[in-house]
Amino acid sequence: MPETASTTRAPDALLPSLAPLLHEWLPRQRWFAGKGRRVTGFTLDAATELLPLDGPGPGLLHLLVRVEQPGRPAGSPSDCYQLLLGVRTQLPPRLAPALIGRIRQGPLAGRAVYEGLRDPRLAGLLYERLRTPGRTGPLRFHATAALPAALAPRVLDAEQSNSSLVYGDAYILKIFRRVSPGANPDLELPLALSRAGCARVPAPVAWFESGAATLGVLQPYLRDSRDGWRLALDALADGREFTTEARALGRATAEVHLALAGALPTRRLGKAEAELLADAMDRRLHAAAQAVPALLPHVPGLRAVFAAGGAAGAGALQRIHGDLHLGQTLRGSDGAWAVIDFEGEPAKPLDERRSPQPTVRDVAGMLRSFDYAARTHRPWNADWAARCRDAFCGGYAEAAGADPRSDPALLRAYETDKAVYEVVYEARHRPDWLPVPMAAIERLAAVG
């Protein structure tokens, strides 16, 4: 049952008073997953005043709100979002861009409501709460280390499916916007890797949760690092090879996989299960071809790729990254690679993201990322991408003791499945980029 743990004097009137503002504001947020579908209502799961709303200064209201929208599969729960709302009588000019609106009725009538993370005072309060483990209403705060006080916050403005704040260039707090019951892999897996002694992933130092849902994770901020995507683009722009970096990244990826296999349960991928995986890929292809007709001529070849993967698939299943690409990696000034953002593909159900999978799925994601990087350069440098792909797999084999190319059918199936996903994404969001995955589709279908 939803839990309302609010010190608001009229909790039953809180959501109706906020609803008109949320109807307008929520669908415009980058992290809102229900774009294109009408919002028909809201349900309050929890409301907590982290800073009193009737005090002399700003209040901070933490909400878990379910959004009702038509078209949801029968029996599936509505999406639940985490909101941190600032409340003030008067909004300072510097916070004007964060304004959501003014409440017209209810317990907060006349108050200005705004995105609380944009207010340094409120963002600082959240950090201070993480420094002191304990409970506030339904919210539970945990820490694994003593944290310094009074670190200045700033919001990272990069578009993403969550929200992130950096504190004093020392720590980064990721706040999950769309939340589900169960441990978020972006907490669960880095914790397991830290306990296993794997230094390739920044170890969580604090987090908070409500019920079974992970709400936010604080980790060291690798301020002297650059992400792999930007490094690859710089190499292309300068006409440089990227094979040394790709080989080292392959070794780092294998080290993460080995550590996860040692820290968490694994099991065998049997022939029947491999066939089920191939069937699921086939169904995704069918849906994608209906959405993007450019795929239709390639469907027979792509289906053959999936069938071959299902027939040949065998080996181990384990926890993996789940959404690995160059943008999920950081290279420090010492040349060492780190892997970040273990949440998996946020659009997929949490249970699916937490399920054991073949490691070649992560490898396939990185191989596709090299193709994407090379396609940003004019003229298209297919050989550059191929050399990076080979170097990455070679580095992976050096650390893992097994080359991911030793099971070519399964690797090709996962790379094809990723390319099909990319086709749908680009057709919907970035049509100018559609030739990037379509080039891979043509190559992979011909192999099939």
Side-chain angles (χ1 to χ4, degrees), residues 231-313:
L231 289 169
L233 296 191
D234 286 350
L236 280 160
D238 295 341
R240 291 186 285 106
E241 288 294 317
F242 198 66
T243 52
T244 300
E245 295 90 338
R247 183 172 294 274
L249 182 54
R251 289 194 293 270
T253 302
E255 289 174 19
V256 170
H257 283 165
L258 290 171
L260 286 172
L264 297 168
T266 65
R267 57 186 176 84
R268 298 294 296 173
L269 170 65
K271 182 173 175 54
E273 189 168 9
E275 291 173 351
L276 289 175
L277 288 173
D279 288 343
M281 293 177 182
D282 200 275
R283 289 193 299 272
R284 288 191 287 271
L285 171 63
H286 176 75
Q290 300 304 308
V292 186
L295 279 171
L296 289 171
H298 306 290
V299 165
L302 299 176
R303 294 192 68 188
V305 171
F306 295 146

Side-chain angles (χ1 to χ4, degrees), residues 18-388:
L18 287 169
L21 303 181
L22 297 182
H23 267 286
E24 295 293 326
W25 180 74
L26 264 178
R28 300 199 305 266
Q29 305 313 299
R30 168 66 176 83
W31 38 262
F32 184 70
K35 287 182 171 58
R37 291 185 287 130
R38 185 168 52 94
V39 174
T40 58
F42 303 98
T43 303
L44 187 63
D45 271 17
T48 308
E49 292 185 21
L50 287 172
L51 198 62
L53 304 184
D54 54 1
L60 179 58
L61 180 63
H62 181 282
L63 298 180
L64 294 176
V65 176
R66 292 198 174 274
V67 179
E68 303 298 335
Q69 293 182 280
R72 196 172 66 251
S76 65
S78 53
D79 289 336
C80 182
Y81 292 93
Q82 176 180 195
L83 310 180
L84 290 112
L85 306 181
V87 179
R88 288 178 182 252
T89 302
Q90 296 294 331
L91 197 64
R94 61 184 172 81
L95 292 175
L99 178 66
I100 297 172
R102 283 194 173 273
I103 297 181
R104 297 182 179 275
Q105 61 183 359
L108 302 178
R111 305 285 188 91
V113 176
Y114 61 100
E115 170 58 86
L117 299 182
R118 295 283 174 179
D119 187 335
R121 179 173 175 181
L122 300 184
L125 170 75
L126 187 58
Y127 173 74
E128 291 303 316
R129 194 63 195 84
L130 285 163
R131 292 183 61 237
T132 54
R135 186 170 189 139
T136 301
L139 305 180
R140 301 187 307 279
F141 296 83
H142 308 268
T144 61
L147 301 174
L151 296 180
R154 60 182 173 91
V155 176
L156 292 184
D157 286 320
E159 288 194 351
Q160 51 189 350
S161 56
N162 298 294
S163 297
S164 295
L165 298 100
V166 172
Y167 291 96
D169 279 347
Y171 300 100
I172 182 169
L173 172 63
K174 178 186 284 189
I175 294 175
F176 303 111
R177 290 298 196 166
R178 187 182 179 203
V179 299
S180 303
N184 192 294
D186 212 10
L187 171 64
E188 180 188 18
L189 298 187
L191 273 180
L193 289 166
S194 173
R195 291 163 181 163
C198 179
R200 293 293 187 177
V201 178
V205 293
W207 63 93
F208 68 112
E209 57 195 1
S210 177
T214 307
L215 300 180
V217 181
L218 186 74
Q219 294 172 282
Y221 181 57
L222 306 181
R223 59 182 176 181
D224 294 326
S225 298
R226 299 186 65 204
D227 72 81
W229 175 255
R230 177 49 54 191
L231 289 169
L233 296 191
D234 286 350
L236 280 160
D238 295 341
R240 291 186 285 106
E241 288 294 317
F242 198 66
T243 52
T244 300
E245 295 90 338
R247 183 172 294 274
L249 182 54
R251 289 194 293 270
T253 302
E255 289 174 19
V256 170
H257 283 165
L258 290 171
L260 286 172
L264 297 168
T266 65
R267 57 186 176 84
R268 298 294 296 173
L269 170 65
K271 182 173 175 54
E273 189 168 9
E275 291 173 351
L276 289 175
L277 288 173
D279 288 343
M281 293 177 182
D282 200 275
R283 289 193 299 272
R284 288 191 287 271
L285 171 63
H286 176 75
Q290 300 304 308
V292 186
L295 279 171
L296 289 171
H298 306 290
V299 165
L302 299 176
R303 294 192 68 188
V305 171
F306 295 146
L317 294 175
Q318 66 163 78
R319 297 298 298 277
I320 63 170
H321 184 282
D323 188 25
L324 191 62
H325 53 79
L326 285 165
Q328 308 283 41
T329 65
L330 295 172
R331 186 169 183 259
S333 55
D334 60 354
W337 284 101
V339 181
I340 59 172
D341 292 339
F342 281 78
E343 189 180 3
E345 295 179 8
K348 292 189 174 181
L350 184 59
D351 286 347
E352 182 177 341
R353 288 184 273 140
R354 297 185 67 208
S355 63
Q357 299 173 60
T359 55
V360 293
R361 181 181 169 188
D362 277 351
V363 173
M366 189 59 73
L367 299 187
R368 294 295 312 123
S369 195
F370 287 123
D371 264 7
Y372 258 76
R375 274 277 169 174
T376 66
H377 185 70
R378 297 292 184 271
W380 152 239
N381 193 337
D383 290 340
W384 184 94
R387 290 192 293 273
C388 288

